Amino acid sequence: MQNEFKLLLKDTVKSAIGLYKIMIPISIAVKLLQYLGVISWIGAALAPVMQVAGLPGSCGIVWATTMVTNIYGGMMAFYSLDLSSVLSTAQVSILCSLMLMAHALPIELQIARKAGCRLWLMFLVRFGFGIVTGILMNYFLHTAHLFQEPNSIQWKPAVLENPTLIQWILGEIKKYIIVFFVVMALMAVMRILKKSGALNKFSEGLKPVLGVLGINKEVIPMTVIGLSLGILYGGALIIKETEEKKIPKLDVFYAFVLMGLCHSLIEDSLLMISMGADWTMIFIFRMLFALLTTWLIVKATKLFDARIIEKIAIRSTDQVEANA
């Protein structure tokens, strides 16, 4: 039992340090970008995109903040601009869908990159399909005349809008501590599931569903964790598994495509609903869109030589090892 705990602690420390190497420098860089006002410039550049999705240009600042920081940062931008008083439930649902598709990109894209995926391609997947989602949802809701009533906020989180440097540092430390213990808990659960044989049964049960998408059963459990809890945790486990097993590279890419388009279904969905978004759009529409898009990507890539697709989607082994 003691040896098992030591091994668990060793694996947790290794995985957590790998995440910290990504999170800490990027968090500092993001803080600097906020200070320099770069996010506002990005938001202004996104104004035309917002209009195509049926949103006012000012929503670009919300999405830009979300992409560079995280969901909470985007929510604070939403509340500070007082957009809830001018948007309909349909428009908030569209904006929230954009936020869910593409948020915390500096950290989450680096996690996908560390697992072997091409960073630029994962950015295009999340940003590009985020826009596609917004356009499709706007057309559907406008044509069906759904959720056109004024938006109603359900809950507003108590988050400091302009924290001092000390408050920001303390908040980051708290976040890193939480990440460590969540990763440890997930690894402990994975060990128990493996030893009990439940993991194999779990994978077999999901195989008919996710197997239709073309995703290898080896990454199904970690993908499910990503879908439910988020890329940070699901990605950390996939990185660990790819280091220990010979998982096909394209299957890792497919898993990150699915997780990128639809992850943290519980927490993030509830946060968006608290902003006034409709749950059917945030939960059901997003999940169906992600599954269909992943299936289409898998089917499309199967039409070409796997070596060609790997060169496009996957970083070379030398690059991955050099950045490990």
Side-chain angles (χ1 to χ4, degrees), residues 21-264:
K21 286 180 179 179
I22 296 172
M23 296 173 66
I24 294 174
I26 289 178
S27 294
I28 295 172
V30 167
K31 187 66 176 178
L32 183 60
L33 290 176
Q34 288 179 298
Y35 179 77
L36 295 175
V38 174
I39 294 176
S40 297
W41 302 343
I42 299 173
L46 288 173
V49 176
M50 297 296 99
Q51 292 168 0
V52 171
L55 301 171
S58 55
C59 288
I61 297 176
V62 178
W63 197 23
T65 304
T66 306
M67 284 192 288
V68 176
T69 59
N70 51 40
I71 290 287
Y72 287 98
M75 292 176 73
M76 289 302 100
F78 176 81
Y79 294 128
S80 64
L81 292 171
D82 197 25
L83 289 173
S84 61
S85 61
V86 298
L87 298 180
S88 65
T89 299
Q91 288 176 309
V92 172
S93 297
I94 295 168
L95 175 59
C96 287
S97 295
L98 294 175
M99 295 168 67
L100 289 169
M101 286 285 181
H103 60 261
L105 293 184
I107 290 177
E108 294 188 353
L109 291 182
Q110 283 295 336
I111 290 174
R113 180 175 179 271
K114 187 173 177 61
C117 302
R118 294 277 187 186
L119 188 147
W120 66 268
L121 185 57
M122 292 308 303
F123 170 78
L124 287 180
V125 166
R126 297 186 63 178
F127 179 75
F129 282 112
I131 295 173
V132 172
T133 302
I135 294 172
L136 290 177
M137 191 177 291
N138 177 52
Y139 177 79
F140 170 69
L141 295 177
H142 181 75
T143 303
H145 301 290
L146 293 172
F147 312 127
Q148 300 301 313
E149 69 278 0
N151 179 57
S152 177
I153 293 176
Q154 306 299 320
W155 172 76
K156 183 176 179 179
V159 179
L160 293 172
E161 292 188 31
N162 296 297
T164 64
L165 182 59
I166 296 298
Q167 289 173 326
W168 177 77
I169 291 174
L170 292 175
E172 290 297 298
I173 292 173
K174 179 181 178 181
K175 180 170 66 177
Y176 301 144
I177 293 172
I178 292 173
V179 165
F180 180 88
F181 284 106
V182 171
V183 168
M184 177 181 276
L186 288 174
M187 286 190 172
V189 171
M190 290 295 288
R191 285 171 182 269
I192 294 171
L193 292 176
K194 283 181 179 178
K195 291 197 171 186
S196 65
L199 187 59
N200 289 331
K201 294 179 181 178
F202 180 65
S203 297
E204 288 299 321
L206 287 172
K207 191 176 179 180
V209 180
L210 295 183
V212 172
L213 303 180
I215 296 179
N216 190 298
K217 70 174 185 178
E218 294 287 350
V219 296
I220 287 178
M222 285 70 74
T223 304
V224 171
I225 288 173
L227 292 175
S228 57
L229 297 180
I231 284 181
L232 184 64
Y233 305 118
L237 292 178
I238 287 181
I239 290 171
K240 180 178 179 296
E241 291 295 309
T242 52
E243 291 175 349
E244 298 176 354
K245 301 177 182 178
K246 292 292 183 180
I247 299 175
K249 298 174 183 178
L250 280 179
D251 287 305
V252 174
F253 170 71
Y254 297 144
F256 270 96
V257 167
L258 179 57
M259 287 194 297
L261 297 177
C262 185
H263 61 272
S264 194

